[in-house]
Amino acid sequence: MVGITSAGAYVPIYRLARGDIARVWAGGRGVAVAGERAVANFDEDTISMAVEASIDCLKGIDREQIDGLYFASTTAPYREKQSATMVAEALDLRREIFTADFTDSLRAGTNAMRAAIDAVKAGSAKKVLVTAADCRLGALQSEYEQNFGDGAVAILISNSGVIASVEGSYSHSNDIIDLWRTDTNTFVNASEDRFSVTYGYLENVQEGVSKLLERYNLSPKDFAKAALYAFDARRHLELARNLGFDAKTQLQDSLFNTVGNTGAAYALMILAATLEEAKAGDRILFTSYGDGCDAYILQATDKIGKLKGRKGIKGHVASKLPLPDYTKYLRYRSLLGELALAGEPVATINWRERNWSVRCHGSKCRECGKIEWPIQRICAYCGAKDNYDEVRLSDKKLTLTTFSKDSLARSVDPPIIVCIASIEGGGRFYAHMTDRDPDKVEVGMPLELTFRRLYSKDDIHTYSWKMRPIR
Amino acid sequence: MSGSIKDRVAIAGMGCTRFGERWDTGTNDLLVEAAYQAFEDAGIEPKDVEAAWLGTSSSGGTGMTLAEPLRLQYIPITRVENACATASEAFRNAAYAVAAGIHDIVLAIGVEKFKDSGMSGMGGGGTDGPGHAMLSQGLPPRQFAMLATTYFSRYGLSFEEGKHMIGRVSWKSHKNGALTRNAHFQKEVSMETILNAPMIAWPLGLYDCCGVSDGAAAAIITTPKIAKRLRKGKEPPVFAKALQIAISPRDGNYNSKYDWTHVEATVRAAERAYKEAGITNPREEISMAEVHDCFSITEAVTMEDLRFSPRGKVKDDIESGRFDLDGAQPIQLDGGLKCFGHPVGASGLRMMYEMYMQLQGRADEVLNPGMPSRQIKNPKLGLTHNLGGSPDGCAIFVGIVGLEGV
């Protein structure tokens, strides 16, 4: 039996009230969409968010057993160069795994899911991690600027320990110019929505669902929940009504009012939320949309309770900070220009230092047992030379030893909170604190590590770990 | 440690330029200015210099940086760099060459011409980018602010109490700087202004930070015998009593035991220096000091690391005026880095110059006209201290100079 064996999610901590966006454009097309949208911090992108969701998904699971990682996004940080590789290294996965990126379509998330299911079925892999993330830019002053949200999701596909089995699937492809972007476009282009919603979203998903139900001889009343991709809140309801699902009892919340449309990650995020609430035996209808439709019938098994203990969608949606204003959003997305960076090229350094900087390995001395980060060849405590084991520290908790709030250094999000923290189990960590309220930083506070983009220079993105207050 | 520098070398002459934003003065001019002051003070000619040590952090490469402007003729010159301890490191190496009997008369000189670099403040204008092994160590203010954060927290000082303590450090230095002709900032600043200044790196405000300036300082180092001959009929030479460097392995970032309320390398260098100089009670025996006050908290913590104040108690000494010019143990008699700014390659010798002038009773030679005397009474031993780097990892110099027989 192939299916989902775990799921995790990530929603950035910042939320921007849609009314705050509309207010900036008041007098023009300043119509507010209801609710708020998630906004990735300035140091986040689809790679870093996918790492977060994957860590959530892999809680309690031996990472050595993962033998494939598929990354899906329409906004991968590079146009040429794989992103799954960086996600895999940050997760400290084995080197001998198969990695792939699925891109260019809002359906990329479920495309990757399908490929993972097929790989497990074919026996070429046993446990494939599928992670999807998006951070899309809606055109300024357009409804998409308000509709879109940033987020990520991860599901583990395997044939053992399944919490939701794949009972059936259906896919079709459809070429339509509804939402699109070339490699030189900053913002997503959109056709007139009455055209694209009618002949794109509604027609394709309705077709997908009816073909799927027909194929397996099921009807809407056979499902506990329908996890449906939402173009927006209104069209989501329209779709459910057209399909014959009861909006109150069967329709899974689309997260549209709390997170927003998260692109290639969106359908899987709605599915992750569904699984968090599912009971054993629940049958779930699941669809994506984008250049066609992928539709699935899933059924929760008696192992569905294993999902507990993850932050998931629910935990992340509840954990939030208000983004004070729209200007911050513009700065976070570099829409007001980039900060110039000094320093040397980093390709060689990033590669050479990756075990401590990306895999977050420290050195654990074989002679005195002490841990140091970054990896030290000579033990800072006992002086032993080259006699250590590398240990992963990214899942450790920390305690803040000292900090400063630097208002002098230029930053997208001043002040820079620079910290020295003690790692649970030994060692020190030196990094910036992110996702924080500068007025609530104090010596002794508990912290956790989060994978972030430190800076971008010469079109090279440098990633490593920062600290944040426990979410 | 088998050898000691105590009384084996002497300073026969010194020179120090005005520090500040010297837009009309280049590296060459600064070197000529400081060196010729020192030659004149020692009563020697440039041709008497057998070898030289040039300290500069970024204003030159090889010894030619010095040979060219001074037209020194084919003598050995060593360029030295050890962060903020650069000038003192030049002095130490020059002194060792004389003590070893290799040279009789040598020049130690430090220079920094910062104001051509476009840098307006300590690390100002920069932003985080690729640095040491990818992670930027960050700009100095935040590094030293972390010392303040931990110090306040460990000793239970409220933000206001801690802020006042370090503010008082800067207030005292500005009071001294106002008297000093060579200082960059020659103005008293009120406690109110200091406490209400904009935050640079919390909890350090504008007046907790030193400036960036241009400057040079020089010393003629020779044997005690030659020094006495050269200074016959003038003020007596000043003798080296201890010259110590301690380089830390940046334990603050790795070692959980590192407490961030003190700077271990200062403690290590100071203890070695006290042993070298035969000092057991530095609080009583050291008459005065110029320490590395890149930030006000650095000076405060350094007072404890040098054992001028008991651990955790420096606040009492700062607030009671012990370190003021008229206090029991004056610190930053010329205004310190706070008022001179910090041309990295020159600062150590600038500090030494102040000790030298005070020990010879000549402090008022660089008095601001019309100001009350800045000469302290009967100083016997003066200490200089540099901290190059940041609290977690740094190059520390502690030197002690004094009159003969002390």
Side-chain angles (χ1 to χ4, degrees), chain A residues 417-453:
Chain A
I417 315 278
V418 60
C419 305
I420 301 268
S422 297
I423 307 165
E424 155 196 56
R428 280 263 164 100
F429 212 92
Y430 173 98
H432 295 176
M433 192 189 297
T434 191
D435 291 0
R436 79 290 178 265
D437 177 345
D439 293 332
K440 291 181 182 160
V441 178
E442 54 185 19
V443 169
M445 71 190 286
L447 299 164
E448 60 193 5
L449 293 168
T450 175
F451 192 67
R452 298 296 166 114
R453 187 197 282 192

Side-chain angles (χ1 to χ4, degrees), chain A residues 340-342 346 349-350 356 373 376 381 402-410 416 418 420 427-428 430 432 455 462, chain B residues 122 125-128 130 133-137 139 142-143 145-146 149-150 200-202 252-256 258 260:
Chain A
L341 286 178
V346 292
I349 303 174
N350 289 6
W356 66 260
W373 178 93
Q376 297 297 304
Y381 296 88
T402 187
F403 68 95
S404 164
K405 302 183 229 181
D406 190 340
S407 307
L408 178 65
R410 270 180 283 178
I416 293 174
V418 60
I420 301 268
R428 280 263 164 100
Y430 173 98
H432 295 176
Y455 43 74
T462 293
Chain B
M122 210 50 194
T127 186
D128 264 32
M134 284 181 52
L135 281 188
S136 162
Q137 287 298 319
L139 308 174
R142 73 164 74 143
Q143 293 290 330
M146 291 201 285
T149 302
T150 322
I200 300 297
W202 187 97
N253 281 9
Y254 308 119
N255 194 321
S256 304
Y258 204 87
W260 278 86

Side-chain angles (χ1 to χ4, degrees), chain B residues 58 141 152 197 281 295 312 394:
Chain B
S58 59
F152 294 0
N281 185 350
F295 300 93
C394 48

Side-chain angles (χ1 to χ4, degrees), chain A residues 292-314:
Chain A
C293 174
D294 292 336
Y296 289 91
I297 298 163
L298 299 167
Q299 189 157 25
T301 72
D302 54 5
K303 296 195 173 73
I304 190 74
K306 287 202 305 182
L307 262 193
K308 289 207 167 49
R310 282 161 180 70
K311 195 167 285 303
I313 294 288
K314 198 173 284 176

